[in-house]
Amino acid sequence: MLTFEYSESYEYPASTVFSRLIDLKGRASWMKGIIENRVTPEEPARLGTNYFESGKYSGFKSEKNMVVTELVQDQLLTMETVPDEKQFFRESYRIEPVSEKSCRVHFAIQVDKVPKVAEFFMRQSMKKEQPKTAASLKAVLNS
């Protein structure tokens, strides 16, 4: 299993950042590559929320069905692919308050069943993309 981690500080309270993270329909505004997504039910994420996403990442088309498996208000959001998906993905966003007006977000992505030949390229891509995604989230929060 491949694991990719990245942390970024935000000059916003944990509650503000968390509210953006649980707006799954709005992920395309800060996550590059999303072409289409669907959220069921259509409201902020909660335990058991179903999420479908299709997109193009590093030149590869991706489609995945995920479900919210962990959710702790203003602290943690975790989604992972449903059991019958051909590839396993887990995305986790852990928020650590630094002060009343700032926090640190720990981004973690785990991927399993990656072809050996793709591992190197995926590692290189994620080194570039995770900081860009964190910066895009920051830009959306600033707007």
Side-chain angles (χ1 to χ4, degrees):
M1 182 175 305
L2 300 175
T3 300
F4 306 100
E5 296 178 308
Y6 183 77
S7 293
E8 183 74 37
S9 294
Y10 293 86
E11 295 302 317
Y12 290 93
S15 60
T16 301
V17 176
F18 186 78
S19 67
R20 177 54 73 177
L21 292 173
I22 64 171
D23 174 16
L24 299 180
K25 193 68 179 159
R27 278 169 58 101
S29 68
W30 58 273
M31 191 168 284
K32 181 183 163 195
I34 296 175
I35 297 168
E36 175 190 3
N37 65 7
R38 291 189 300 273
V39 182
T40 309
E42 286 192 24
E43 54 190 45
R46 61 181 190 221
L47 278 177
T49 294
N50 291 301
Y51 177 72
F52 167 81
E53 178 180 286
S54 69
K56 198 166 190 177
Y57 309 98
S58 301
F60 294 97
K61 187 169 180 177
S62 169
E63 286 189 356
K64 56 189 172 223
N65 289 290
M66 302 179 85
V67 64
V68 174
T69 56
E70 295 178 298
L71 191 129
V72 179
Q73 185 68 38
D74 300 338
Q75 295 177 30
L76 177 68
L77 168 67
T78 302
M79 300 187 302
E80 60 186 58
T81 48
V82 296
D84 57 339
E85 288 287 309
K86 67 179 180 177
Q87 196 163 39
F88 174 81
F89 281 88
R90 177 182 292 131
E91 296 181 25
S92 185
Y93 306 89
R94 186 173 49 83
I95 303 172
E96 172 190 350
V98 175
S99 72
E100 287 184 17
K101 296 181 180 180
S102 66
C103 64
R104 187 159 188 79
V105 179
H106 303 277
F107 300 79
I109 297 175
Q110 293 178 307
V111 187
D112 201 7
K113 300 178 186 170
V114 175
K116 279 286 185 201
V117 295
E119 282 186 22
F120 172 79
F121 297 106
M122 186 175 248
R123 287 183 199 282
Q124 296 305 309
S125 175
M126 291 303 287
K127 280 182 188 177
K128 295 176 188 172
E129 291 305 318
Q130 279 186 305
K132 288 180 184 177
T133 298
S136 292
L137 176 58
K138 195 174 281 188
V140 167
L141 288 164
N142 288 335
S143 64

